[in-house]
Amino acid sequence: MDKKKIAEGLLSINAVFLRPEDPFTWASGIKSPIYCDNRLTLTAPEVRDIIEEGLVDLIKEYYPECEVVMGTSTAGIAHAAIVGHLMNIPMGYVRGSAKDHGRTNQIEGKILPGQKVVVIEDLISTAGSSCDTVEVLRNAGADVLGIASIFTYGMEKGLKKLEEYKTVNHSLCDLDTLVDVAVETGYITPKDKIKVISFRNAPSDESWMKEDN
């Protein structure tokens, strides 16, 4: 697994945007110099192949006992399907909430008590949706080994959430690697890198936008 290669791929297809001079506004209202849309990897076969093979390698290295992969809804579903196919193991996904009709499933796909499961996630920020997925699977009797994700910001809130749920995450790439590659390729300046890292370290503090380091 080469984090730098993954970072290059994500940047090359604009799956990750870095825009310190014109921040994005997240759904939470937070102003952010970065926006991640890993769904774009699905329409870029060369990058997609690197990512899916990387997730397989990650699972084999850190979760060798894995019997089932479960995607988060909705971004993790396609990746879980591809990884399940490559590993020739069952896959499914967990809805954000139970259906209000039919069998009222929240877990789509078959899970047996005690089965060893890895959750497939596209992005770890605050880790809220990932941990919610883990909890649903555990309540269904699954033995959740951990999470395999494409990208992580490495935010303190996310790290604390994972610790709270006694869940481990391994990502193909992280923000620190990505901004290093972005500087090397001239995508952003070293000053911009400082702003992005300052944001990551304190997302609710907008002082990074005023920094002129």
Side-chain angles (χ1 to χ4, degrees), residues 23-97:
F24 301 94
T25 302
W26 286 0
S28 61
I30 288 176
K31 300 291 185 182
S32 169
I34 182 170
Y35 188 80
C36 185
D37 182 6
N38 285 326
R39 291 175 178 83
L40 289 173
T41 63
L42 298 171
T43 54
E46 291 184 5
V47 176
R48 182 184 66 207
D49 289 348
I50 293 170
I51 285 172
E52 309 308 344
E53 290 166 5
L55 287 171
V56 170
D57 290 343
L58 190 154
I59 291 170
K60 288 180 177 178
E61 179 178 356
Y62 294 105
Y63 312 114
E65 297 176 303
C66 177
E67 298 174 301
V68 182
V69 288
M70 281 278 165
T72 56
S73 180
T74 60
I77 297 173
H79 298 292
I82 297 171
V83 169
H85 172 73
L86 292 175
M87 296 185 70
N88 193 31
I89 60 175
M91 70 76 58
Y93 65 94
V94 177
R95 293 175 173 271
S97 59

Side-chain angles (χ1 to χ4, degrees), residues 1-202:
M1 184 181 66
D2 187 337
K3 289 186 176 183
K4 185 174 180 179
K5 189 173 183 180
I6 299 292
E8 291 170 347
L10 294 175
L11 289 169
S12 72
I13 62 171
N14 293 322
V16 178
F17 276 95
L18 293 168
R19 208 169 67 187
E21 75 289 349
D22 184 19
F24 301 94
T25 302
W26 286 0
S28 61
I30 288 176
K31 300 291 185 182
S32 169
I34 182 170
Y35 188 80
C36 185
D37 182 6
N38 285 326
R39 291 175 178 83
L40 289 173
T41 63
L42 298 171
T43 54
E46 291 184 5
V47 176
R48 182 184 66 207
D49 289 348
I50 293 170
I51 285 172
E52 309 308 344
E53 290 166 5
L55 287 171
V56 170
D57 290 343
L58 190 154
I59 291 170
K60 288 180 177 178
E61 179 178 356
Y62 294 105
Y63 312 114
E65 297 176 303
C66 177
E67 298 174 301
V68 182
V69 288
M70 281 278 165
T72 56
S73 180
T74 60
I77 297 173
H79 298 292
I82 297 171
V83 169
H85 172 73
L86 292 175
M87 296 185 70
N88 193 31
I89 60 175
M91 70 76 58
Y93 65 94
V94 177
R95 293 175 173 271
S97 59
K99 290 195 296 185
D100 60 3
H101 60 280
R103 297 176 62 195
T104 65
N105 292 341
Q106 185 165 6
I107 298 174
E108 299 292 0
K110 189 175 183 180
I111 284 287
L112 300 175
Q115 275 192 311
K116 300 183 184 302
V117 177
V118 171
V119 172
I120 304 295
E121 177 67 281
D122 75 319
L123 171 66
I124 299 285
S125 53
T126 62
S129 62
S130 304
C131 288
D132 287 346
T133 297
V134 168
E135 184 174 38
V136 169
L137 291 166
R138 285 175 174 165
N139 289 340
D143 178 5
V144 180
L145 302 177
I147 302 167
S149 59
I150 297 173
F151 186 76
T152 181
Y153 290 122
M155 291 179 174
E156 184 179 2
K157 185 175 182 178
L159 296 174
K160 286 183 175 179
K161 190 77 170 180
L162 291 167
E163 184 178 355
E164 176 188 345
Y165 279 74
K166 295 181 173 57
T167 301
V168 64
N169 166 66
H170 291 284
S171 297
L172 293 178
C173 188
D174 53 52
L175 183 62
D176 296 276
T177 301
L178 187 128
V179 292
D180 283 343
V181 170
V183 170
E184 289 174 10
T185 58
Y187 187 124
I188 60 173
T189 67
K191 289 182 180 179
D192 286 336
K193 171 185 171 179
I194 293 172
K195 290 183 177 182
V196 174
I197 296 300
S198 294
F199 161 78
R200 188 273 306 280
N201 293 342

